[in-house]
Amino acid sequence: MKTLQHKHIIKWFELASLTLRENKDYLTKLDSEIGDADHGFNMERGFNKVHNKLEEFSLNTDLGAIFKNMGMTLISSIGGASGPLYGTFFLQFGMAIVTKTELSLQDFVTAFEKGVNGVKLRGRASVGDKTMIDVLAPVADRLKESLSENNTFEKVFSDIVKSAEKSMKSTVPLIAKKGRASYLGARSVGHQDAGATSSYLILKSLKEAIEE
Amino acid sequence: MKKLINNIEDVITEQMQGMAAAHPELKINLDPKFIIRADSDSQKKVVIISGGGSGHEPMHGGYVGKGMLDAACPGEVFTSPTPDQMFECAKAAHNGHGVLFLVKNYTGDVMNFEMAAEMLNAEGIKTQNVLIDDDVAVKDSLYTAGRRGVGTTVIMEKIVGAAAEAGYSLEACAKLATKVNSYGRSMGMALTSCIVPAAGKPNFDIDENEIEIGVGIHGEPGRKRIPHTSCDEITSILTHAILDDGVYTRQIREWDHGTGNWKEIEFTSPPFKSGDKMIVLVNGLGSTPLSELYGVYRKMHEICEDKNIVITRKIIGSYITALDMQGVSITMVKTDDEILKFWDAPVKTPALRWGV
Ligand SMILES: Nc1ncnc2c1ncn2[C@@H]1O[C@H](COP(=O)(O)OP(=O)(O)OP(=O)(O)O)[C@@H](O)[C@H]1O
Ligand SMILES: [Mg+2]
């Protein structure tokens, strides 16, 4: 597969909504260990709204507009830390692909990087702070590398999901320096970050969306 | 879980409907959610707005009214409200004199209020954000999200609300709010956890004979867990944590109306010293009997007398809570003539009223 099409994006958002719903309790449990036990509820609330918009999205061919709408939907329904962060990600992603109806790998990589930069700017977290950035930033790097490798989307997405899973697990031994978990200091060690986990789940549904 | 709830999803809405029914001087908007003074259309002053996760009642909705907040945005329980909520709320309240957001320092609240401020400033509605980060239980700001915003919030809302009522400009209100924040310190403790309705079980585990010293208003962990002990001992730990706290320095963000972007500034709270005059809040966290709060006040008062700290004003009761948590927090805000004048000014809200 050489281009990512409208139907893949719709499928991605659909699968992401489903998997976040299925993992609501799991994400909330992770957040209860070192946060305030709301990450699963927050993500479910936001992605339910996205799910309700899938029909509207399928009628719109402008992918940039769909991503921006998606970002605004998350921003206005999640709240918490993850609302502005995920919202910014999709909003910035959309800004990079204005009026496009399909995406080349280059388009995708550029947009993803723009999204991650937005998250960094908003949350001021760096890799190693035990947040979603620990998953998103290495994926952005991996994506950039893949450009020179002339791979298919299938191969690239399968790579980034592996990278995301590894990064997600690598948050376990870290001391949190951002977000609520940072109040725990050394007591945050030994727990997987909830936001890193939801980022992994969202990327995993991207991979699954093009397999169907 | 036993709670007075119809449906979990309706808790915030029904609470707002109850407030509107009980207090005709307030109006509510349900989509998006905010509480606003019914007479907001006739105001000619800087608009003071706060908001945050629900579950800390009477904060913030209970402080909407003459001499305090113009409006408040409640989020889901313990979850920050969203920027579109703040945006619509500010647009509804704004009357040409600017908007000041009073924001408790939690990652979620800070980011959502920053987005709202960006949106409003882009629309030509002059907006500024001031943080409250007064919880001395969090020691450093380099390796954490910084000190949390707790009891000083209530005192700041009162003082800045009165200043806005007296005709202060947006810049002057923001400056006063920043001063109150730098003069404010709090420390809390929990005897029990609290139950978020949607979760249905306690937010954290704490043994029958244990207490958490330095707990946050969402049950965030504090400085230490110790075996349960006497009221005097606990009060002494909290009071000393506040009075002995040293200089606290952190980076904060302020909107620069010139460049149209955020500007990082270093900001310092000087320590308290002998002779300081204080407004004190002895605050119940939701399920603490007033009798116990007075027990805490008794010991705190004694320590302050010993250390020549003068308590000039005080409020004792549940003003910023953590749902049904049993526990207490102490807040002290150093005063000067400006702060005292606005503290004493009339206020008429559901949860705080005097002089009217
Ligand atoms: N500054 C940050 N930068 C990037 N990611 C962050 C930052 N702070 C927190 N996070 C991510 O957000 C996740 C928590 O999101 P959640 O939905 O639980 O919001 P929250 O912090 O509980 O918000 P609130 O305090 O309003 O309840 C964390 O697991 C972490 O991955
Ligand atoms: Mg959380």
Side-chain angles (χ1 to χ4, degrees):
Chain A
M1 209 177 89
K2 286 285 175 197
T3 60
L4 206 55
Q5 288 149 29
H6 180 265
K7 63 173 187 206
H8 298 127
I9 300 300
I10 303 292
K11 194 78 203 166
W12 177 22
F13 293 171
E14 186 190 343
L15 292 179
S17 310
L18 296 178
T19 187
L20 288 168
R21 189 179 301 163
E22 273 161 28
N23 285 284
K24 174 176 84 171
D25 290 339
Y26 174 54
L27 292 172
T28 297
K29 184 180 150 284
L30 291 176
D31 193 36
S32 78
E33 285 165 12
I34 52 172
D36 60 349
D38 63 357
H39 190 58
F41 299 116
N42 291 349
M43 294 307 284
E44 191 202 27
R45 191 170 54 248
F47 276 80
N48 272 347
K49 281 266 154 58
V50 171
H51 198 260
N52 293 340
K53 287 205 164 176
L54 286 177
E55 216 176 281
E56 180 189 333
F57 290 168
S58 19
L59 299 174
N60 189 344
T61 51
D62 177 352
L63 290 177
I66 294 178
F67 272 88
K68 282 195 274 182
N69 191 327
M70 159 91 172
M72 286 314 294
T73 305
L74 296 179
I75 288 168
S76 62
S77 59
I78 298 188
S82 40
L85 293 171
Y86 280 123
T88 300
F89 176 83
F90 287 102
L91 202 61
Q92 292 295 326
F93 195 114
M95 309 271 230
I97 53 167
V98 189
T99 70
K100 292 212 189 298
T101 52
E102 56 175 24
L103 304 181
S104 67
L105 186 58
Q106 175 72 61
D107 294 333
F108 184 86
V109 172
T110 312
F112 196 95
E113 189 180 18
K114 195 160 168 133
V116 175
N117 284 340
V119 177
K120 282 186 180 161
L121 215 58
R122 179 69 54 202
R124 287 168 282 175
S126 325
V127 172
D129 287 351
K130 199 171 181 124
T131 69
M132 60 177 74
I133 281 297
D134 287 337
V135 165
L136 297 176
V139 164
D141 293 344
R142 185 72 205 89
L143 280 171
K144 273 219 298 229
E145 283 165 27
S146 75
L147 281 178
S148 58
E149 294 161 3
N150 197 27
N151 282 324
T152 59
F153 269 102
E154 285 86 345
K155 169 82 175 82
V156 174
F157 284 179
S158 146
D159 280 355
I160 61 171
V161 169
K162 274 185 213 136
S163 147
E165 186 174 10
K166 212 174 94 208
S167 304
M168 167 184 84
K169 290 182 175 152
S170 76
T171 62
V172 174
L174 296 174
I175 298 184
K177 297 202 190 66
K178 282 281 185 298
R180 279 177 181 288
S182 68
Y183 302 129
L184 282 161
R187 282 200 266 170
S188 61
V189 170
H191 303 275
Q192 187 168 303
D193 177 59
T197 310
S198 55
S199 287
Y200 161 74
L201 291 171
I202 292 171
L203 289 165
K204 192 161 78 85
S205 23
L206 172 62
K207 170 176 168 270
E208 288 162 3
I210 63 164
E211 282 166 355
E212 300 211 357
Chain B
M1 173 181 69
K2 268 198 277 186
K3 282 186 189 281
L4 291 166
I5 282 178
N6 295 317
N7 293 306
I8 285 168
E9 310 79 66
D10 301 333
V11 174
I12 314 293
T13 303
E14 291 180 357
Q15 166 186 352
M16 290 173 72
Q17 288 166 335
M19 285 193 73
H23 307 288
E25 60 283 15
L26 303 182
K27 276 188 310 194
I28 56 169
N29 191 75
L30 289 177
D31 189 21
K33 292 189 178 76
F34 57 84
I35 301 168
I36 184 168
R37 282 172 69 168
D39 61 356
S40 79
D41 286 348
S42 60
Q43 299 303 316
K44 292 185 181 61
K45 61 178 206 65
V46 175
V47 162
I48 312 291
I49 295 177
S50 192
S54 292
H56 307 300
E57 290 71 18
M59 197 178 71
H60 296 274
Y63 301 130
V64 175
K66 191 174 166 53
M68 214 161 164
L69 298 179
D70 291 279
C73 303
E76 297 294 322
V77 172
F78 288 3
T79 298
S80 158
T82 58
D84 58 307
Q85 222 177 318
M86 301 154 184
F87 180 75
E88 291 303 330
C89 173
K91 285 222 301 204
H94 182 244
N95 55 63
H97 294 78
V99 174
L100 183 65
F101 285 139
L102 305 181
V103 185
K104 301 190 299 306
N105 187 35
Y106 298 94
T107 305
D109 293 79
V110 172
M111 291 193 296
N112 283 287
F113 272 106
E114 282 184 356
M115 290 191 108
E118 289 165 18
M119 289 157 68
L120 287 160
N121 280 312
E123 288 253 316
I125 297 180
K126 210 169 170 192
T127 305
Q128 186 56 273
N129 293 11
V130 172
L131 278 191
I132 302 106
D133 58 348
D134 62 324
D135 188 347
V136 301
V138 183
K139 281 195 170 141
D140 78 84
S141 67
L142 206 52
Y143 301 108
T144 68
R147 287 187 172 174
R148 302 174 288 242
V150 284
T152 298
T153 314
V154 179
I155 294 170
M156 184 192 290
E157 288 174 1
K158 165 69 189 84
I159 290 165
V160 179
E165 209 76 55
Y168 266 40
S169 67
L170 177 60
E171 288 73 20
C173 284
K175 194 164 164 235
L176 175 61
T178 307
K179 178 168 84 175
V180 171
N181 186 43
S182 74
Y183 283 4
R185 283 184 166 80
S186 299
M187 177 87 169
M189 63 79 57
L191 298 159
T192 66
S193 183
C194 53
I195 300 181
V196 174
K201 55 181 195 299
N203 220 17
F204 60 98
D205 295 320
I206 185 158
D207 280 352
E208 186 55 32
N209 50 7
E210 267 184 339
I211 60 175
E212 176 89 24
I213 299 289
V215 78
I217 53 171
H218 311 87
E220 296 94 336
R223 287 191 184 172
K224 57 185 176 184
R225 264 247 171 136
I226 59 169
H228 185 36
T229 174
S230 68
C231 173
D232 281 1
E233 177 97 8
I234 291 169
T235 306
S236 171
I237 296 174
L238 300 184
T239 309
H240 282 109
I242 292 170
L243 294 179
D244 300 345
D245 187 53
V247 178
Y248 178 62
T249 303
R250 67 286 207 186
Q251 297 283 118
I252 55 169
R253 269 180 172 191
E254 193 180 86
W255 184 261
D256 184 334
H257 290 281
T259 62
N261 211 334
W262 297 101
K263 171 174 84 187
E264 297 255 348
I265 46 175
E266 195 170 272
F267 177 62
T268 297
S269 301
F272 292 149
K273 56 180 195 312
S274 169
D276 280 350
K277 296 190 179 66
M278 303 288 187
I279 299 171
V280 165
L281 161 62
V282 172
N283 175 59
L285 289 176
S287 295
T288 319
L290 197 51
S291 55
E292 295 177 22
L293 299 181
Y294 272 101
V296 170
Y297 186 83
R298 171 190 152 275
K299 180 66 188 176
M300 184 210 58
H301 187 96
E302 185 186 307
I303 297 171
C304 286
E305 283 198 324
D306 265 6
K307 297 204 148 207
N308 192 31
I309 298 291
V310 188
I311 303 177
T312 54
R313 301 287 186 277
K314 80 253 349 176
I315 45 174
I316 299 155
S318 297
Y319 289 94
I320 164 170
T321 58
L323 291 166
D324 48 1
M325 186 185 286
Q326 252 184 293
V328 65
S329 67
I330 297 175
T331 298
M332 296 191 193
V333 174
K334 192 177 90 165
T335 65
D336 56 20
D337 290 346
E338 184 189 33
I339 289 177
L340 261 191
K341 176 176 89 187
F342 290 128
W343 178 257
D344 288 339
V347 57
K348 189 178 177 197
T349 70
L352 209 63
R353 68 172 67 194
W354 56 68
V356 286

